[in-house]
């Protein structure tokens, strides 16, 4: 039977990739968008396997109507409390009222379940929503994938390309989990179609250390990339707290201090994945950190 999947956040970077992967299977995709938004209509109007439905997250009855007949909700929304907690709770409540069997929350992150309170705002918002999800009469599956590999060449200043350095905090041998957005989207689509999926599915496209990244960069460029100790995770955590206090807008999803908090979670080992099952859905050619760096460097 064709599975009907509602995707929230489908016009976003990851959400669009999830929709694309879902269409590789026998699915009917329902894209949820706000009444005031026209982006979804422009992006998906030409595909007859996609239905665009509108509802505001503050309009419970409209959400229930949008979710009628859906087999699984896939949330790919992005933001801070107003989105990750409040909007997703509204979506969850409507899913329960509409009789939707399954819900995949917008996690797509490292393992936020055991981080120290106060050490990572975005992870704690996910943990807060997870508690509400676990209390609801619906089956849930979270996809945990470490950090997005794409961050290494963009917003995460771990590799100092111009200075031939790779930063690390506390230990250069701490395992770091990375997965590309395309690989995460693929797994999420398969989880959506897997009625027996467990509460958490952990995948890692690659598992590296700062030391191995430096070695990879040296081999790819022919120039020695050296490790640079940037302090302890405790020092970095204190810097993040100061940055947050001085920040003018706590509602920004990825301010500089939040990036510091991600590195604290990763290099402390608190967010490391411990039950990775890359073969759950069969063999797959995962995109490695080396693959991403090779494309970025053009070598």
């Amino acid at each position: 039977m064709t599975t009907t999947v509602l995707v929230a956040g489908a016009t976003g970077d990851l959400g669009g990739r999830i929709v694309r992967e879902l269409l590789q299977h026998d699915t009917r995709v329902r894209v949820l968008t706000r009444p005031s938004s026209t982006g979804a209509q422009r992006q998906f109007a030409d595909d007859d396997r996609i239905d665009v439905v509108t509802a505001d997250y503050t309009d419970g009855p409209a959400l229930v109507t949008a979710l009628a007949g859906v087999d699984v909700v896939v949330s790919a929304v992005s933001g801070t409390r107003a989105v990750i907690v409040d909007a997703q709770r509204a979506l969850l409540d409507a899913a329960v009222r509409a009789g939707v069997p399954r819900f995949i929350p917008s996690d797509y992150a490292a393992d936020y379940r055991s981080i120290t309170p106060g050490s990572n705002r975005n992870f704690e918002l996910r943990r807060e929503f997870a508690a509400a999800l676990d209390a609801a009469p619906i089956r849930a599956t979270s996809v945990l994938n470490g950090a997005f590999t794409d961050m290494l060449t963009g917003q995460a200043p771990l590799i100092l390309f111009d200075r031939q350095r790779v930063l690390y905090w506390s230990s250069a041998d701490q395992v770091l989990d990375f997965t590309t957005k395309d690989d995460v989207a693929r797994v999420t689509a398969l989880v959506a179609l897997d009625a027996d999926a467990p509460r958490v599915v952990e995948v890692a496209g690659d598992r590296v250390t700062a030391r191995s990244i430096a070695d990879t960069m040296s081999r790819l460029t022919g120039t020695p990339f050296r490790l640079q100790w940037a302090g302890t995770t405790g020092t970095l955590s204190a810097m993040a707290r100061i940055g947050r206090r001085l920040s003018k807008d706590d509602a920004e999803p990825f301010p500089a201090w939040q990036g510091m908090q991600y590195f604290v979670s990763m290099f402390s080992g608190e967010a490391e994945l411990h039950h990775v099952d890359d073969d759950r859905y069969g063999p797959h050619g995962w995109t490695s950190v080396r693959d991403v760096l090779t494309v970025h460097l053009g070598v």
Side-chain angles (χ1 to χ4, degrees):
M1 294 178 61
T2 300
T3 301
T4 300
V5 184
L6 181 137
V7 180
T11 57
D13 187 10
L14 180 61
R17 296 171 197 245
I18 293 172
V19 170
R20 181 190 66 204
E21 290 293 329
L22 285 168
L23 293 176
Q24 302 300 311
H25 305 275
D26 185 15
T27 58
R28 184 86 195 171
V29 177
R30 199 176 295 182
V31 169
L32 177 65
T33 185
R34 290 182 172 87
S36 59
S37 175
T38 59
Q41 287 288 357
R42 292 195 305 269
Q43 187 171 340
F44 302 114
D46 294 336
D47 196 314
D48 59 9
R49 291 175 58 193
I50 299 177
D51 301 309
V52 178
V53 294
T54 60
D56 197 288
Y57 286 98
T58 60
D59 189 342
L63 280 175
V64 173
T65 299
L67 289 163
V70 167
D71 296 302
V72 55
V73 170
V74 175
S75 177
V77 296
S78 178
T80 52
R81 172 168 294 279
V83 177
I84 297 301
V85 177
D86 299 339
Q88 283 200 117
R89 275 183 172 167
L91 187 62
L92 172 62
D93 291 343
V96 171
R97 290 169 59 193
V100 178
R102 300 176 56 227
F103 194 105
I104 299 174
S106 186
D107 285 344
Y108 319 115
D111 193 344
Y112 56 78
R113 293 172 292 179
S114 300
I115 62 166
T116 300
S119 65
N120 190 314
R121 178 200 61 182
N122 286 5
F123 283 179
E124 290 179 72
L125 293 175
R126 281 162 171 75
R127 186 161 62 187
E128 182 178 343
F129 178 69
L133 184 54
D134 287 337
I138 194 170
R139 288 195 61 184
T141 299
S142 290
V143 176
L144 300 183
N145 50 259
F148 290 130
T149 319
D150 323 61
M151 293 172 59
L152 285 172
T153 59
Q155 63 194 94
L158 186 65
I159 304 174
L160 306 182
F161 292 92
D162 294 338
R163 296 174 54 189
Q164 293 81 49
R165 295 288 188 275
V166 174
L167 299 179
Y168 72 94
W169 287 264
S170 290
S171 173
D173 297 306
Q174 169 60 46
V175 173
L176 310 172
D177 301 299
F178 287 100
T179 313
T180 63
K181 291 177 183 177
D182 282 342
D183 281 338
V184 172
R186 169 188 168 273
V187 170
T188 302
L190 292 171
V191 167
L193 298 173
D194 181 5
D196 297 320
R199 178 62 183 85
V200 175
V201 170
E202 295 184 17
V203 294
D206 206 352
R207 312 194 78 188
V208 297
T209 65
R211 191 181 307 281
S212 70
I213 292 174
D215 181 66
T216 296
M217 286 298 300
S218 298
R219 293 175 183 274
L220 289 175
T221 64
T223 301
F225 269 68
R226 293 184 170 82
L227 290 166
Q228 182 169 321
W229 184 72
T232 67
T233 54
T235 301
L236 185 60
S237 183
M239 291 173 61
R241 287 195 297 271
I242 294 171
R244 186 175 186 179
R245 284 199 296 268
L246 296 176
S247 176
K248 296 180 180 179
D249 187 5
D250 198 56
E252 185 183 347
F254 298 104
W257 58 263
Q258 177 64 76
M260 295 179 190
Q261 289 187 336
Y262 270 101
F263 281 144
V264 169
S265 298
M266 293 174 69
F267 278 94
S268 68
E270 288 189 344
E272 181 182 342
L273 301 176
H274 294 288
H275 302 284
V276 172
D277 186 4
D278 283 350
D279 295 328
R280 177 175 178 83
Y281 298 109
H284 174 66
W286 297 87
T287 305
S288 68
V289 165
R290 182 186 180 92
D291 293 335
V292 171
L293 294 176
T294 297
V295 171
H296 179 72
L297 295 168
V299 297

